[in-house]
PDB file of all heavy atoms in Angstrom:
ATOM      1  N   SER A   5      -5.484   2.623  12.349  1.00 49.00           N
ATOM      2  CA  SER A   5      -5.365   1.460  13.284  1.00 49.00           C
ATOM      3  C   SER A   5      -5.776   0.172  12.658  1.00 49.00           C
ATOM      4  O   SER A   5      -6.334   0.077  11.619  1.00 49.00           O
ATOM      5  CB  SER A   5      -6.345   1.758  14.442  1.00 49.00           C
ATOM      6  OG  SER A   5      -7.658   1.905  13.963  1.00 49.00           O
ATOM      7  N   GLY A   6      -5.315  -0.999  13.292  1.00 55.00           N
ATOM      8  CA  GLY A   6      -5.570  -2.295  12.798  1.00 55.00           C
ATOM      9  C   GLY A   6      -4.428  -2.853  12.027  1.00 55.00           C
ATOM     10  O   GLY A   6      -3.447  -2.212  11.788  1.00 55.00           O
ATOM     11  N   GLU A   7      -4.584  -4.080  11.602  1.00 75.00           N
ATOM     12  CA  GLU A   7      -3.588  -4.809  10.922  1.00 75.00           C
ATOM     13  C   GLU A   7      -3.408  -4.343   9.515  1.00 75.00           C
ATOM     14  O   GLU A   7      -4.324  -3.661   8.959  1.00 75.00           O
ATOM     15  CB  GLU A   7      -3.858  -6.294  10.968  1.00 75.00           C
ATOM     16  CG  GLU A   7      -5.232  -6.629  10.325  1.00 75.00           C
ATOM     17  CD  GLU A   7      -5.440  -8.103  10.388  1.00 75.00           C
ATOM     18  OE1 GLU A   7      -4.509  -8.911  10.192  1.00 75.00           O
ATOM     19  OE2 GLU A   7      -6.639  -8.523  10.645  1.00 75.00           O
ATOM     20  N   VAL A   8      -2.235  -4.609   8.921  1.00 78.00           N
ATOM     21  CA  VAL A   8      -1.965  -4.163   7.608  1.00 78.00           C
ATOM     22  C   VAL A   8      -2.757  -4.978   6.599  1.00 78.00           C
ATOM     23  O   VAL A   8      -2.719  -6.242   6.626  1.00 78.00           O
ATOM     24  CB  VAL A   8      -0.443  -4.270   7.316  1.00 78.00           C
ATOM     25  CG1 VAL A   8      -0.169  -3.943   5.816  1.00 78.00           C
ATOM     26  CG2 VAL A   8       0.345  -3.428   8.264  1.00 78.00           C
ATOM     27  N   ALA A   9      -3.430  -4.352   5.679  1.00 75.00           N
ATOM     28  CA  ALA A   9      -4.209  -4.978   4.655  1.00 75.00           C
ATOM     29  C   ALA A   9      -3.325  -5.294   3.461  1.00 75.00           C
ATOM     30  O   ALA A   9      -3.370  -6.356   2.894  1.00 75.00           O
ATOM     31  CB  ALA A   9      -5.428  -4.174   4.202  1.00 75.00           C
ATOM     32  N   HIS A  10      -2.511  -4.330   3.032  1.00 78.00           N
ATOM     33  CA  HIS A  10      -1.593  -4.538   1.899  1.00 78.00           C
ATOM     34  C   HIS A  10      -0.566  -3.378   1.918  1.00 78.00           C
ATOM     35  O   HIS A  10      -0.717  -2.454   2.708  1.00 78.00           O
ATOM     36  CB  HIS A  10      -2.335  -4.563   0.618  1.00 78.00           C
ATOM     37  CG  HIS A  10      -3.123  -3.326   0.270  1.00 78.00           C
ATOM     38  ND1 HIS A  10      -4.505  -3.247   0.618  1.00 78.00           N
ATOM     39  CD2 HIS A  10      -2.770  -2.160  -0.246  1.00 78.00           C
ATOM     40  CE1 HIS A  10      -4.915  -2.009   0.254  1.00 78.00           C
ATOM     41  NE2 HIS A  10      -3.912  -1.306  -0.295  1.00 78.00           N
ATOM     42  N   TYR A  11       0.325  -3.461   1.000  1.00 81.00           N
ATOM     43  CA  TYR A  11       1.377  -2.428   0.808  1.00 81.00           C
ATOM     44  C   TYR A  11       1.147  -1.836  -0.583  1.00 81.00           C
ATOM     45  O   TYR A  11       0.872  -2.564  -1.502  1.00 81.00           O
ATOM     46  CB  TYR A  11       2.781  -3.019   0.953  1.00 81.00           C
ATOM     47  CG  TYR A  11       3.136  -3.405   2.339  1.00 81.00           C
ATOM     48  CD1 TYR A  11       2.701  -4.557   2.928  1.00 81.00           C
ATOM     49  CD2 TYR A  11       3.911  -2.536   3.112  1.00 81.00           C
ATOM     50  CE1 TYR A  11       3.032  -4.791   4.231  1.00 81.00           C
ATOM     51  CE2 TYR A  11       4.326  -2.844   4.410  1.00 81.00           C
ATOM     52  CZ  TYR A  11       3.822  -4.034   4.942  1.00 81.00           C
ATOM     53  OH  TYR A  11       4.101  -4.322   6.280  1.00 81.00           O
ATOM     54  N   THR A  12       1.295  -0.505  -0.700  1.00 79.00           N
ATOM     55  CA  THR A  12       1.051   0.150  -1.996  1.00 79.00           C
ATOM     56  C   THR A  12       2.063   1.183  -2.203  1.00 79.00           C
ATOM     57  O   THR A  12       2.806   1.590  -1.242  1.00 79.00           O
ATOM     58  CB  THR A  12      -0.366   0.771  -1.976  1.00 79.00           C
ATOM     59  OG1 THR A  12      -0.667   1.241  -3.361  1.00 79.00           O
ATOM     60  CG2 THR A  12      -0.517   1.854  -1.043  1.00 79.00           C
ATOM     61  N   CYS A  13       2.136   1.712  -3.383  1.00 76.00           N
ATOM     62  CA  CYS A  13       3.050   2.821  -3.750  1.00 76.00           C
ATOM     63  C   CYS A  13       2.290   4.115  -3.735  1.00 76.00           C
ATOM     64  O   CYS A  13       1.263   4.233  -4.331  1.00 76.00           O
ATOM     65  CB  CYS A  13       3.652   2.597  -5.104  1.00 76.00           C
ATOM     66  SG  CYS A  13       4.689   3.860  -5.692  1.00 76.00           S
ATOM     67  N   PRO A  14       2.847   5.140  -2.988  1.00 67.00           N
ATOM     68  CA  PRO A  14       2.176   6.430  -2.993  1.00 67.00           C
ATOM     69  C   PRO A  14       2.027   7.028  -4.400  1.00 67.00           C
ATOM     70  O   PRO A  14       1.080   7.822  -4.640  1.00 67.00           O
ATOM     71  CB  PRO A  14       3.052   7.262  -2.110  1.00 67.00           C
ATOM     72  CG  PRO A  14       3.817   6.292  -1.314  1.00 67.00           C
ATOM     73  CD  PRO A  14       4.037   5.082  -2.110  1.00 67.00           C
ATOM     74  N   MET A  15       2.962   6.726  -5.303  1.00 66.00           N
ATOM     75  CA  MET A  15       2.860   7.291  -6.623  1.00 66.00           C
ATOM     76  C   MET A  15       2.009   6.460  -7.590  1.00 66.00           C
ATOM     77  O   MET A  15       1.526   6.914  -8.607  1.00 66.00           O
ATOM     78  CB  MET A  15       4.295   7.517  -7.193  1.00 66.00           C
ATOM     79  CG  MET A  15       5.115   8.566  -6.528  1.00 66.00           C
ATOM     80  SD  MET A  15       4.440  10.178  -6.750  1.00 66.00           S
ATOM     81  CE  MET A  15       4.588  10.394  -8.464  1.00 66.00           C
ATOM     82  N   HIS A  16       1.872   5.191  -7.277  1.00 69.00           N
ATOM     83  CA  HIS A  16       1.147   4.276  -8.203  1.00 69.00           C
ATOM     84  C   HIS A  16       0.176   3.458  -7.327  1.00 69.00           C
ATOM     85  O   HIS A  16       0.611   2.259  -6.933  1.00 69.00           O
ATOM     86  CB  HIS A  16       2.140   3.398  -8.980  1.00 69.00           C
ATOM     87  CG  HIS A  16       3.046   4.144  -9.803  1.00 69.00           C
ATOM     88  ND1 HIS A  16       4.306   4.502  -9.315  1.00 69.00           N
ATOM     89  CD2 HIS A  16       2.924   4.654 -11.106  1.00 69.00           C
ATOM     90  CE1 HIS A  16       4.941   5.250 -10.306  1.00 69.00           C
ATOM     91  NE2 HIS A  16       4.114   5.322 -11.341  1.00 69.00           N
ATOM     92  N   PRO A  17      -0.977   3.997  -6.921  1.00 67.00           N
ATOM     93  CA  PRO A  17      -1.892   3.259  -6.008  1.00 67.00           C
ATOM     94  C   PRO A  17      -2.304   1.902  -6.545  1.00 67.00           C
ATOM     95  O   PRO A  17      -2.783   1.076  -5.787  1.00 67.00           O
ATOM     96  CB  PRO A  17      -3.032   4.215  -5.863  1.00 67.00           C
ATOM     97  CG  PRO A  17      -2.484   5.569  -6.265  1.00 67.00           C
ATOM     98  CD  PRO A  17      -1.443   5.278  -7.280  1.00 67.00           C
ATOM     99  N   ALA A  18      -2.238   1.693  -7.878  1.00 69.00           N
ATOM    100  CA  ALA A  18      -2.704   0.436  -8.393  1.00 69.00           C
ATOM    101  C   ALA A  18      -1.761  -0.739  -7.973  1.00 69.00           C
ATOM    102  O   ALA A  18      -2.204  -1.897  -8.032  1.00 69.00           O
ATOM    103  CB  ALA A  18      -2.746   0.460  -9.952  1.00 69.00           C
ATOM    104  N   VAL A  19      -0.573  -0.400  -7.579  1.00 77.00           N
ATOM    105  CA  VAL A  19       0.404  -1.403  -7.188  1.00 77.00           C
ATOM    106  C   VAL A  19       0.055  -1.791  -5.735  1.00 77.00           C
ATOM    107  O   VAL A  19       0.096  -1.021  -4.813  1.00 77.00           O
ATOM    108  CB  VAL A  19       1.878  -0.949  -7.308  1.00 77.00           C
ATOM    109  CG1 VAL A  19       2.768  -1.907  -6.663  1.00 77.00           C
ATOM    110  CG2 VAL A  19       2.225  -0.571  -8.704  1.00 77.00           C
ATOM    111  N   LYS A  20      -0.279  -3.089  -5.533  1.00 79.00           N
ATOM    112  CA  LYS A  20      -0.566  -3.616  -4.213  1.00 79.00           C
ATOM    113  C   LYS A  20       0.086  -4.944  -4.012  1.00 79.00           C
ATOM    114  O   LYS A  20       0.053  -5.830  -4.823  1.00 79.00           O
ATOM    115  CB  LYS A  20      -2.092  -3.769  -4.001  1.00 79.00           C
ATOM    116  CG  LYS A  20      -2.873  -2.375  -4.072  1.00 79.00           C
ATOM    117  CD  LYS A  20      -4.326  -2.565  -3.888  1.00 79.00           C
ATOM    118  CE  LYS A  20      -5.052  -1.202  -3.924  1.00 79.00           C
ATOM    119  NZ  LYS A  20      -6.476  -1.342  -3.769  1.00 79.00           N
ATOM    120  N   GLN A  21       0.785  -5.075  -2.827  1.00 82.00           N
ATOM    121  CA  GLN A  21       1.423  -6.313  -2.530  1.00 82.00           C
ATOM    122  C   GLN A  21       1.041  -6.704  -1.056  1.00 82.00           C
ATOM    123  O   GLN A  21       0.730  -5.898  -0.257  1.00 82.00           O
ATOM    124  CB  GLN A  21       2.971  -6.192  -2.613  1.00 82.00           C
ATOM    125  CG  GLN A  21       3.404  -5.942  -4.071  1.00 82.00           C
ATOM    126  CD  GLN A  21       4.881  -5.879  -4.187  1.00 82.00           C
ATOM    127  OE1 GLN A  21       5.467  -5.563  -5.230  1.00 82.00           O
ATOM    128  NE2 GLN A  21       5.609  -6.006  -3.054  1.00 82.00           N
ATOM    129  N   ALA A  22       1.266  -8.031  -0.804  1.00 79.00           N
ATOM    130  CA  ALA A  22       0.893  -8.511   0.505  1.00 79.00           C
ATOM    131  C   ALA A  22       1.976  -8.172   1.579  1.00 79.00           C
ATOM    132  O   ALA A  22       1.698  -8.019   2.762  1.00 79.00           O
ATOM    133  CB  ALA A  22       0.815 -10.026   0.491  1.00 79.00           C
ATOM    134  N   GLY A  23       3.246  -7.940   1.105  1.00 81.00           N
ATOM    135  CA  GLY A  23       4.353  -7.644   2.008  1.00 81.00           C
ATOM    136  C   GLY A  23       5.070  -6.407   1.550  1.00 81.00           C
ATOM    137  O   GLY A  23       4.879  -5.810   0.470  1.00 81.00           O
ATOM    138  N   PRO A  24       6.035  -5.924   2.441  1.00 84.00           N
ATOM    139  CA  PRO A  24       6.838  -4.739   2.072  1.00 84.00           C
ATOM    140  C   PRO A  24       7.782  -5.044   0.847  1.00 84.00           C
ATOM    141  O   PRO A  24       8.031  -6.222   0.484  1.00 84.00           O
ATOM    142  CB  PRO A  24       7.594  -4.468   3.322  1.00 84.00           C
ATOM    143  CG  PRO A  24       7.673  -5.773   4.040  1.00 84.00           C
ATOM    144  CD  PRO A  24       6.405  -6.471   3.771  1.00 84.00           C
ATOM    145  N   GLY A  25       8.203  -4.014   0.262  1.00 83.00           N
ATOM    146  CA  GLY A  25       9.080  -4.143  -0.901  1.00 83.00           C
ATOM    147  C   GLY A  25       9.219  -2.779  -1.612  1.00 83.00           C
ATOM    148  O   GLY A  25       8.950  -1.735  -1.018  1.00 83.00           O
ATOM    149  N   GLN A  26       9.589  -2.882  -2.865  1.00 82.00           N
ATOM    150  CA  GLN A  26       9.714  -1.682  -3.679  1.00 82.00           C
ATOM    151  C   GLN A  26       8.743  -1.680  -4.849  1.00 82.00           C
ATOM    152  O   GLN A  26       8.399  -2.750  -5.379  1.00 82.00           O
ATOM    153  CB  GLN A  26      11.177  -1.485  -4.150  1.00 82.00           C
ATOM    154  CG  GLN A  26      12.211  -1.196  -3.113  1.00 82.00           C
ATOM    155  CD  GLN A  26      13.588  -0.875  -3.651  1.00 82.00           C
ATOM    156  OE1 GLN A  26      13.955  -1.537  -4.671  1.00 82.00           O
ATOM    157  NE2 GLN A  26      14.318  -0.054  -3.001  1.00 82.00           N
ATOM    158  N   CYS A  27       8.360  -0.547  -5.298  1.00 82.00           N
ATOM    159  CA  CYS A  27       7.435  -0.406  -6.458  1.00 82.00           C
ATOM    160  C   CYS A  27       8.102  -0.899  -7.725  1.00 82.00           C
ATOM    161  O   CYS A  27       9.211  -0.391  -8.032  1.00 82.00           O
ATOM    162  CB  CYS A  27       6.931   1.058  -6.539  1.00 82.00           C
ATOM    163  SG  CYS A  27       5.853   1.284  -8.001  1.00 82.00           S
ATOM    164  N   PRO A  28       7.433  -1.805  -8.480  1.00 83.00           N
ATOM    165  CA  PRO A  28       8.045  -2.259  -9.721  1.00 83.00           C
ATOM    166  C   PRO A  28       8.129  -1.210 -10.779  1.00 83.00           C
ATOM    167  O   PRO A  28       8.776  -1.381 -11.803  1.00 83.00           O
ATOM    168  CB  PRO A  28       7.162  -3.456 -10.107  1.00 83.00           C
ATOM    169  CG  PRO A  28       5.892  -3.173  -9.434  1.00 83.00           C
ATOM    170  CD  PRO A  28       6.145  -2.485  -8.197  1.00 83.00           C
ATOM    171  N   ILE A  29       7.376  -0.139 -10.587  1.00 78.00           N
ATOM    172  CA  ILE A  29       7.311   0.950 -11.598  1.00 78.00           C
ATOM    173  C   ILE A  29       8.380   1.996 -11.436  1.00 78.00           C
ATOM    174  O   ILE A  29       9.154   2.350 -12.240  1.00 78.00           O
ATOM    175  CB  ILE A  29       5.939   1.576 -11.708  1.00 78.00           C
ATOM    176  CG1 ILE A  29       4.886   0.517 -12.011  1.00 78.00           C
ATOM    177  CG2 ILE A  29       5.848   2.682 -12.710  1.00 78.00           C
ATOM    178  CD1 ILE A  29       3.465   1.017 -11.924  1.00 78.00           C
ATOM    179  N   CYS A  30       8.349   2.538 -10.156  1.00 73.00           N
ATOM    180  CA  CYS A  30       9.289   3.603  -9.827  1.00 73.00           C
ATOM    181  C   CYS A  30      10.437   3.283  -8.900  1.00 73.00           C
ATOM    182  O   CYS A  30      11.366   4.078  -8.669  1.00 73.00           O
ATOM    183  CB  CYS A  30       8.502   4.825  -9.297  1.00 73.00           C
ATOM    184  SG  CYS A  30       7.726   4.573  -7.764  1.00 73.00           S
ATOM    185  N   GLY A  31      10.315   2.141  -8.156  1.00 72.00           N
ATOM    186  CA  GLY A  31      11.364   1.726  -7.214  1.00 72.00           C
ATOM    187  C   GLY A  31      11.208   2.274  -5.882  1.00 72.00           C
ATOM    188  O   GLY A  31      12.092   2.060  -5.009  1.00 72.00           O
ATOM    189  N   MET A  32      10.184   3.041  -5.608  1.00 73.00           N
ATOM    190  CA  MET A  32       9.973   3.628  -4.282  1.00 73.00           C
ATOM    191  C   MET A  32       9.578   2.520  -3.304  1.00 73.00           C
ATOM    192  O   MET A  32       8.978   1.504  -3.665  1.00 73.00           O
ATOM    193  CB  MET A  32       8.875   4.694  -4.316  1.00 73.00           C
ATOM    194  CG  MET A  32       9.300   5.968  -5.028  1.00 73.00           C
ATOM    195  SD  MET A  32       7.892   7.119  -5.066  1.00 73.00           S
ATOM    196  CE  MET A  32       7.492   7.269  -3.389  1.00 73.00           C
ATOM    197  N   ASP A  33       9.892   2.801  -1.992  1.00 77.00           N
ATOM    198  CA  ASP A  33       9.443   1.860  -0.977  1.00 77.00           C
ATOM    199  C   ASP A  33       7.908   1.828  -0.830  1.00 77.00           C
ATOM    200  O   ASP A  33       7.298   2.868  -0.793  1.00 77.00           O
ATOM    201  CB  ASP A  33      10.072   2.227   0.400  1.00 77.00           C
ATOM    202  CG  ASP A  33      11.554   1.987   0.375  1.00 77.00           C
ATOM    203  OD1 ASP A  33      12.015   1.100  -0.341  1.00 77.00           O
ATOM    204  OD2 ASP A  33      12.253   2.663   1.123  1.00 77.00           O
ATOM    205  N   LEU A  34       7.332   0.698  -0.721  1.00 80.00           N
ATOM    206  CA  LEU A  34       5.913   0.561  -0.545  1.00 80.00           C
ATOM    207  C   LEU A  34       5.539   0.955   0.860  1.00 80.00           C
ATOM    208  O   LEU A  34       6.236   0.647   1.814  1.00 80.00           O
ATOM    209  CB  LEU A  34       5.434  -0.887  -0.875  1.00 80.00           C
ATOM    210  CG  LEU A  34       5.754  -1.379  -2.297  1.00 80.00           C
ATOM    211  CD1 LEU A  34       5.233  -2.788  -2.468  1.00 80.00           C
ATOM    212  CD2 LEU A  34       5.112  -0.458  -3.336  1.00 80.00           C
ATOM    213  N   THR A  35       4.365   1.518   1.036  1.00 77.00           N
ATOM    214  CA  THR A  35       3.835   1.968   2.333  1.00 77.00           C
ATOM    215  C   THR A  35       2.692   1.077   2.682  1.00 77.00           C
ATOM    216  O   THR A  35       1.857   0.652   1.900  1.00 77.00           O
ATOM    217  CB  THR A  35       3.374   3.423   2.290  1.00 77.00           C
ATOM    218  OG1 THR A  35       2.389   3.543   1.296  1.00 77.00           O
ATOM    219  CG2 THR A  35       4.567   4.318   1.905  1.00 77.00           C
ATOM    220  N   PRO A  36       2.575   0.715   4.000  1.00 79.00           N
ATOM    221  CA  PRO A  36       1.501  -0.188   4.421  1.00 79.00           C
ATOM    222  C   PRO A  36       0.164   0.633   4.557  1.00 79.00           C
ATOM    223  O   PRO A  36       0.141   1.778   4.835  1.00 79.00           O
ATOM    224  CB  PRO A  36       1.921  -0.633   5.801  1.00 79.00           C
ATOM    225  CG  PRO A  36       2.852   0.472   6.277  1.00 79.00           C
ATOM    226  CD  PRO A  36       3.511   1.088   5.071  1.00 79.00           C
ATOM    227  N   VAL A  37      -0.904  -0.125   4.308  1.00 76.00           N
ATOM    228  CA  VAL A  37      -2.249   0.432   4.389  1.00 76.00           C
ATOM    229  C   VAL A  37      -3.046  -0.515   5.360  1.00 76.00           C
ATOM    230  O   VAL A  37      -3.061  -1.710   5.131  1.00 76.00           O
ATOM    231  CB  VAL A  37      -2.973   0.484   2.975  1.00 76.00           C
ATOM    232  CG1 VAL A  37      -4.379   1.006   3.183  1.00 76.00           C
ATOM    233  CG2 VAL A  37      -2.172   1.346   2.073  1.00 76.00           C
ATOM    234  N   SER A  38      -3.644   0.093   6.309  1.00 74.00           N
ATOM    235  CA  SER A  38      -4.376  -0.755   7.284  1.00 74.00           C
ATOM    236  C   SER A  38      -5.720  -1.115   6.792  1.00 74.00           C
ATOM    237  O   SER A  38      -6.253  -0.510   5.886  1.00 74.00           O
ATOM    238  CB  SER A  38      -4.555  -0.021   8.630  1.00 74.00           C
ATOM    239  OG  SER A  38      -5.407   1.139   8.504  1.00 74.00           O
ATOM    240  N   ARG A  39      -6.375  -2.152   7.439  1.00 72.00           N
ATOM    241  CA  ARG A  39      -7.725  -2.559   6.978  1.00 72.00           C
ATOM    242  C   ARG A  39      -8.717  -1.482   7.283  1.00 72.00           C
ATOM    243  O   ARG A  39      -9.723  -1.406   6.544  1.00 72.00           O
ATOM    244  CB  ARG A  39      -8.009  -3.833   7.656  1.00 72.00           C
ATOM    245  CG  ARG A  39      -7.146  -4.993   7.286  1.00 72.00           C
ATOM    246  CD  ARG A  39      -7.759  -6.316   7.696  1.00 72.00           C
ATOM    247  NE  ARG A  39      -6.853  -7.487   7.307  1.00 72.00           N
ATOM    248  CZ  ARG A  39      -6.835  -8.048   6.116  1.00 72.00           C
ATOM    249  NH1 ARG A  39      -7.683  -7.611   5.199  1.00 72.00           N
ATOM    250  NH2 ARG A  39      -5.995  -9.003   5.855  1.00 72.00           N
ATOM    251  N   ALA A  40      -8.508  -0.765   8.393  1.00 69.00           N
ATOM    252  CA  ALA A  40      -9.446   0.390   8.701  1.00 69.00           C
ATOM    253  C   ALA A  40      -9.423   1.439   7.589  1.00 69.00           C
ATOM    254  O   ALA A  40     -10.478   1.887   7.250  1.00 69.00           O
ATOM    255  CB  ALA A  40      -8.985   0.976  10.060  1.00 69.00           C
ATOM    256  N   ASP A  41      -8.317   1.683   7.027  1.00 68.00           N
ATOM    257  CA  ASP A  41      -8.197   2.654   5.942  1.00 68.00           C
ATOM    258  C   ASP A  41      -8.933   2.107   4.701  1.00 68.00           C
ATOM    259  O   ASP A  41      -9.635   2.829   3.974  1.00 68.00           O
ATOM    260  CB  ASP A  41      -6.768   3.035   5.651  1.00 68.00           C
ATOM    261  CG  ASP A  41      -6.153   3.985   6.630  1.00 68.00           C
ATOM    262  OD1 ASP A  41      -6.964   4.505   7.464  1.00 68.00           O
ATOM    263  OD2 ASP A  41      -4.939   4.136   6.604  1.00 68.00           O
ATOM    264  N   VAL A  42      -8.745   0.797   4.419  1.00 67.00           N
ATOM    265  CA  VAL A  42      -9.381   0.223   3.331  1.00 67.00           C
ATOM    266  C   VAL A  42     -10.906   0.308   3.463  1.00 67.00           C
ATOM    267  O   VAL A  42     -11.626   0.597   2.506  1.00 67.00           O
ATOM    268  CB  VAL A  42      -8.907  -1.217   3.102  1.00 67.00           C
ATOM    269  CG1 VAL A  42      -9.703  -1.921   1.958  1.00 67.00           C
ATOM    270  CG2 VAL A  42      -7.415  -1.246   2.746  1.00 67.00           C
ATOM    271  N   GLU A  43     -11.448  -0.059   4.632  1.00 64.00           N
ATOM    272  CA  GLU A  43     -12.853  -0.037   4.824  1.00 64.00           C
ATOM    273  C   GLU A  43     -13.447   1.317   4.771  1.00 64.00           C
ATOM    274  O   GLU A  43     -14.564   1.490   4.352  1.00 64.00           O
ATOM    275  CB  GLU A  43     -13.146  -0.735   6.147  1.00 64.00           C
ATOM    276  CG  GLU A  43     -12.781  -2.212   6.194  1.00 64.00           C
ATOM    277  CD  GLU A  43     -12.925  -2.778   7.577  1.00 64.00           C
ATOM    278  OE1 GLU A  43     -13.319  -2.024   8.498  1.00 64.00           O
ATOM    279  OE2 GLU A  43     -12.769  -4.000   7.737  1.00 64.00           O
ATOM    280  N   SER A  44     -12.640   2.363   5.155  1.00 66.00           N
ATOM    281  CA  SER A  44     -13.259   3.699   5.128  1.00 66.00           C
ATOM    282  C   SER A  44     -12.953   4.396   3.851  1.00 66.00           C
ATOM    283  O   SER A  44     -13.397   5.505   3.611  1.00 66.00           O
ATOM    284  CB  SER A  44     -12.630   4.493   6.262  1.00 66.00           C
ATOM    285  OG  SER A  44     -11.155   4.631   6.158  1.00 66.00           O
ATOM    286  N   GLY A  45     -12.233   3.828   2.913  1.00 70.00           N
ATOM    287  CA  GLY A  45     -11.920   4.403   1.615  1.00 70.00           C
ATOM    288  C   GLY A  45     -10.826   5.340   1.611  1.00 70.00           C
ATOM    289  O   GLY A  45     -10.639   6.117   0.648  1.00 70.00           O
ATOM    290  N   VAL A  46      -9.994   5.391   2.707  1.00 77.00           N
ATOM    291  CA  VAL A  46      -8.880   6.357   2.761  1.00 77.00           C
ATOM    292  C   VAL A  46      -7.787   5.997   1.664  1.00 77.00           C
ATOM    293  O   VAL A  46      -7.511   4.766   1.522  1.00 77.00           O
ATOM    294  CB  VAL A  46      -8.207   6.305   4.165  1.00 77.00           C
ATOM    295  CG1 VAL A  46      -6.922   7.077   4.187  1.00 77.00           C
ATOM    296  CG2 VAL A  46      -9.246   6.901   5.206  1.00 77.00           C
ATOM    297  N   ILE A  47      -7.330   6.988   0.994  1.00 76.00           N
ATOM    298  CA  ILE A  47      -6.243   6.763   0.027  1.00 76.00           C
ATOM    299  C   ILE A  47      -5.103   7.738   0.400  1.00 76.00           C
ATOM    300  O   ILE A  47      -5.342   8.672   1.177  1.00 76.00           O
ATOM    301  CB  ILE A  47      -6.651   7.098  -1.444  1.00 76.00           C
ATOM    302  CG1 ILE A  47      -7.095   8.544  -1.556  1.00 76.00           C
ATOM    303  CG2 ILE A  47      -7.770   6.191  -1.850  1.00 76.00           C
ATOM    304  CD1 ILE A  47      -7.360   8.956  -3.012  1.00 76.00           C
TER     305      ILE A  47
END
């Protein structure tokens, strides 16, 4: 729940962007991560 904190790649968690797009490494669609997940440490 909550607003989107950033977008990341499921295969490359180090990739983080402010908006949607594709992973520069593998080309997969980035998935959104909520601020609640960031605060709780969910990966």
Side-chain angles (χ1 to χ4, degrees):
S5 59
E7 58 181 321
V8 175
H10 60 265
Y11 288 78
T12 186
C13 175
M15 291 296 294
H16 303 91
V19 176
K20 296 181 181 180
Q21 294 181 184
Q26 292 185 330
C27 176
I29 300 175
C30 64
M32 290 177 56
D33 291 332
L34 300 181
T35 57
V37 179
S38 69
R39 294 193 182 277
D41 283 351
V42 173
E43 292 173 358
S44 63
V46 172
I47 62 169

